Coordinates of all heavy atoms in Angstrom, one line a residue:
L1 N -52.3 134.2 -34.8 CA -53.7 134.1 -34.5 C -54.0 132.6 -34.1 O -53.5 131.7 -34.7 CB -54.5 134.4 -35.8 CG -54.3 135.8 -36.4 CD1 -55.1 136.0 -37.6 CD2 -54.6 136.9 -35.3
A2 N -54.9 132.5 -33.2 CA -55.3 131.2 -32.7 C -56.8 131.1 -32.6 O -57.4 131.9 -31.8 CB -54.7 130.9 -31.4
E3 N -57.5 130.3 -33.3 CA -58.9 130.1 -33.3 C -59.3 129.1 -32.2 O -58.6 128.1 -32.0 CB -59.5 129.7 -34.6 CG -59.2 130.7 -35.8 CD -58.0 130.2 -36.6 OE1 -57.2 129.5 -36.0 OE2 -57.9 130.6 -37.7
S4 N -60.5 129.2 -31.6 CA -61.0 128.3 -30.7 C -62.6 128.3 -30.7 O -63.1 129.3 -31.2 CB -60.5 128.5 -29.3 OG -60.9 129.8 -28.8
G5 N -63.2 127.3 -30.1 CA -64.7 127.3 -30.0 C -65.4 126.4 -31.0 O -66.6 126.3 -30.9
G6 N -64.7 125.8 -31.9 CA -65.3 124.9 -32.8 C -65.8 123.6 -32.2 O -65.4 123.3 -31.0
G7 N -66.6 122.9 -32.9 CA -67.1 121.6 -32.3 C -68.2 121.0 -33.1 O -68.5 121.5 -34.2
L8 N -68.9 120.0 -32.6 CA -70.0 119.4 -33.2 C -71.3 119.9 -32.6 O -71.5 119.8 -31.4 CB -69.9 117.9 -33.0 CG -71.1 117.0 -33.5 CD1 -71.2 117.1 -35.0 CD2 -70.9 115.6 -33.1
V9 N -72.2 120.3 -33.5 CA -73.5 120.8 -33.0 C -74.6 120.3 -33.9 O -74.4 120.0 -35.1 CB -73.6 122.4 -33.0 CG1 -72.6 122.9 -31.9 CG2 -73.3 123.0 -34.3
Q10 N -75.9 120.3 -33.4 CA -77.0 119.9 -34.2 C -77.5 121.0 -35.0 O -77.3 122.2 -34.7 CB -78.1 119.4 -33.3 CG -77.8 118.1 -32.5 CD -78.9 117.6 -31.7 OE1 -79.7 118.3 -31.2 NE2 -79.0 116.3 -31.5
P11 N -78.2 120.8 -36.1 CA -78.8 121.9 -36.9 C -79.7 122.7 -36.0 O -80.5 122.2 -35.2 CB -79.6 121.1 -38.0 CG -78.9 119.8 -38.2 CD -78.4 119.5 -36.8
G12 N -79.6 124.0 -36.2 CA -80.4 124.9 -35.4 C -79.7 125.4 -34.1 O -80.1 126.3 -33.4
G13 N -78.6 124.8 -33.8 CA -77.8 125.1 -32.6 C -76.9 126.3 -32.8 O -76.9 126.9 -33.9
S14 N -76.1 126.6 -31.8 CA -75.2 127.8 -31.8 C -73.8 127.5 -31.4 O -73.6 126.5 -30.6 CB -75.8 128.9 -30.9 OG -77.1 129.3 -31.4
L15 N -72.9 128.2 -31.9 CA -71.5 128.2 -31.5 C -70.9 129.6 -31.5 O -71.3 130.4 -32.3 CB -70.6 127.3 -32.4 CG -70.7 125.8 -32.2 CD1 -69.8 125.1 -33.3 CD2 -70.2 125.3 -30.8
R16 N -69.9 129.8 -30.6 CA -69.2 131.1 -30.6 C -67.7 130.8 -30.8 O -67.1 130.2 -30.0 CB -69.4 131.9 -29.3 CG -68.8 133.3 -29.4 CD -69.1 134.0 -28.1 NE -68.7 135.4 -28.2 CZ -69.3 136.4 -28.6 NH1 -70.6 136.2 -29.1 NH2 -68.8 137.7 -28.7
L17 N -67.2 131.3 -32.0 CA -65.8 131.1 -32.3 C -65.0 132.4 -31.8 O -65.5 133.5 -31.8 CB -65.6 131.0 -33.8 CG -66.3 129.9 -34.5 CD1 -65.9 129.8 -35.9 CD2 -66.1 128.5 -33.8
S18 N -63.8 132.1 -31.3 CA -63.0 133.2 -30.9 C -61.6 133.1 -31.5 O -61.0 132.1 -31.7 CB -62.8 133.2 -29.3 OG -62.1 134.3 -28.9
C19 N -61.1 134.3 -31.9 CA -59.8 134.4 -32.5 C -58.9 135.3 -31.6 O -59.2 136.5 -31.4 CB -59.9 135.0 -33.9 SG -58.3 135.4 -34.7
A20 N -57.8 134.8 -31.1 CA -57.0 135.5 -30.2 C -55.7 135.8 -30.9 O -55.0 135.0 -31.5 CB -56.7 134.7 -28.9
A21 N -55.3 137.1 -30.9 CA -54.1 137.6 -31.6 C -53.0 137.9 -30.6 O -53.2 138.3 -29.5 CB -54.4 138.8 -32.4
S22 N -51.8 137.6 -31.0 CA -50.6 138.0 -30.2 C -49.6 138.7 -31.1 O -49.5 138.3 -32.3 CB -50.0 136.8 -29.5 OG -49.6 135.8 -30.5
G23 N -48.8 139.6 -30.6 CA -47.9 140.3 -31.4 C -48.5 141.4 -32.2 O -49.8 141.4 -32.4
G24 N -47.8 142.4 -32.7 CA -48.3 143.5 -33.5 C -49.2 144.4 -32.7 O -49.4 144.3 -31.5
T25 N -49.9 145.3 -33.4 CA -50.8 146.2 -32.8 C -52.2 145.9 -33.3 O -52.5 146.2 -34.5 CB -50.5 147.7 -33.1 OG1 -49.1 148.0 -32.7 CG2 -51.4 148.6 -32.4
F26 N -53.0 145.2 -32.5 CA -54.2 144.6 -33.0 C -55.2 145.7 -33.6 O -55.9 145.4 -34.6 CB -54.9 143.9 -31.8 CG -56.2 143.2 -32.2 CD1 -56.1 142.0 -32.9 CD2 -57.4 143.7 -31.8 CE1 -57.3 141.3 -33.2 CE2 -58.6 143.0 -32.1 CZ -58.5 141.8 -32.8
S27 N -55.3 146.8 -33.0 CA -56.2 147.9 -33.5 C -55.9 148.4 -34.8 O -56.7 149.1 -35.4 CB -56.3 149.0 -32.5 OG -55.1 149.7 -32.3
M28 N -54.7 148.1 -35.4 CA -54.3 148.6 -36.7 C -54.8 147.7 -37.8 O -54.5 148.0 -39.0 CB -52.7 148.6 -36.8 CG -52.1 149.7 -35.9 SD -52.5 151.3 -36.4 CE -51.5 152.3 -35.2
Y29 N -55.5 146.6 -37.5 CA -55.9 145.7 -38.5 C -57.4 145.5 -38.6 O -58.2 145.5 -37.6 CB -55.3 144.3 -38.2 CG -53.8 144.3 -38.2 CD1 -53.1 144.5 -37.0 CD2 -53.1 144.0 -39.4 CE1 -51.7 144.5 -37.1 CE2 -51.8 144.0 -39.4 CZ -51.0 144.2 -38.2 OH -49.7 144.2 -38.3
T30 N -57.9 145.3 -39.8 CA -59.2 144.8 -40.0 C -59.3 143.3 -39.7 O -58.3 142.6 -40.1 CB -59.6 145.0 -41.5 OG1 -59.8 146.4 -41.7 CG2 -60.9 144.3 -41.8
G31 N -60.3 142.8 -39.1 CA -60.4 141.4 -38.8 C -61.5 140.7 -39.7 O -62.4 141.4 -40.1
A32 N -61.3 139.4 -39.9 CA -62.3 138.7 -40.7 C -62.3 137.2 -40.4 O -61.4 136.7 -39.7 CB -62.0 138.9 -42.2
W33 N -63.4 136.6 -40.8 CA -63.5 135.1 -40.7 C -63.8 134.6 -42.1 O -64.6 135.1 -42.9 CB -64.7 134.7 -39.8 CG -64.3 134.9 -38.3 CD1 -64.6 135.9 -37.6 CD2 -63.7 133.9 -37.5 NE1 -64.1 135.7 -36.3 CE2 -63.6 134.5 -36.2 CE3 -63.2 132.6 -37.7 CZ2 -63.0 133.8 -35.1 CZ3 -62.7 131.9 -36.6 CH2 -62.6 132.5 -35.4
F34 N -63.1 133.5 -42.5 CA -63.3 132.7 -43.7 C -63.6 131.3 -43.3 O -63.3 130.9 -42.2 CB -62.1 132.8 -44.6 CG -61.8 134.2 -45.2 CD1 -61.2 135.2 -44.4 CD2 -62.2 134.5 -46.5 CE1 -61.0 136.4 -45.0 CE2 -62.0 135.7 -47.0 CZ -61.3 136.7 -46.3
R35 N -64.1 130.5 -44.2 CA -64.3 129.1 -44.0 C -64.1 128.3 -45.2 O -64.2 128.8 -46.3 CB -65.7 128.9 -43.4 CG -66.9 129.1 -44.5 CD -68.2 129.0 -43.8 NE -69.3 129.1 -44.7 CZ -70.6 129.2 -44.4 NH1 -70.9 129.1 -43.1 NH2 -71.5 129.3 -45.3
Q36 N -63.8 127.0 -45.0 CA -63.5 126.1 -46.1 C -64.3 124.8 -45.9 O -63.9 124.0 -45.1 CB -62.0 125.7 -46.3 CG -61.7 124.9 -47.5 CD -60.2 124.8 -47.7 OE1 -59.4 125.1 -46.9 NE2 -59.9 124.4 -48.9

């Protein structure tokens, strides 16, 4: 898995993160986002 789309934004702004998968059968999996 490879995440992209992060960056620096001001409060009230927007961002769109994307997770691209390779290998396996993607439709066989539940997807999720976590943060630290």
Side-chain angles (χ1 to χ4, degrees):
L1 304 177
E3 303 96 335
S4 62
L8 174 64
V9 297
Q10 295 183 329
S14 298
L15 281 176
R16 188 176 183 87
L17 306 183
S18 183
C19 172
S22 61
T25 304
F26 185 73
S27 62
M28 294 291 184
Y29 298 92
T30 292
W33 286 92
F34 292 78
R35 68 186 183 186
Q36 186 169 16

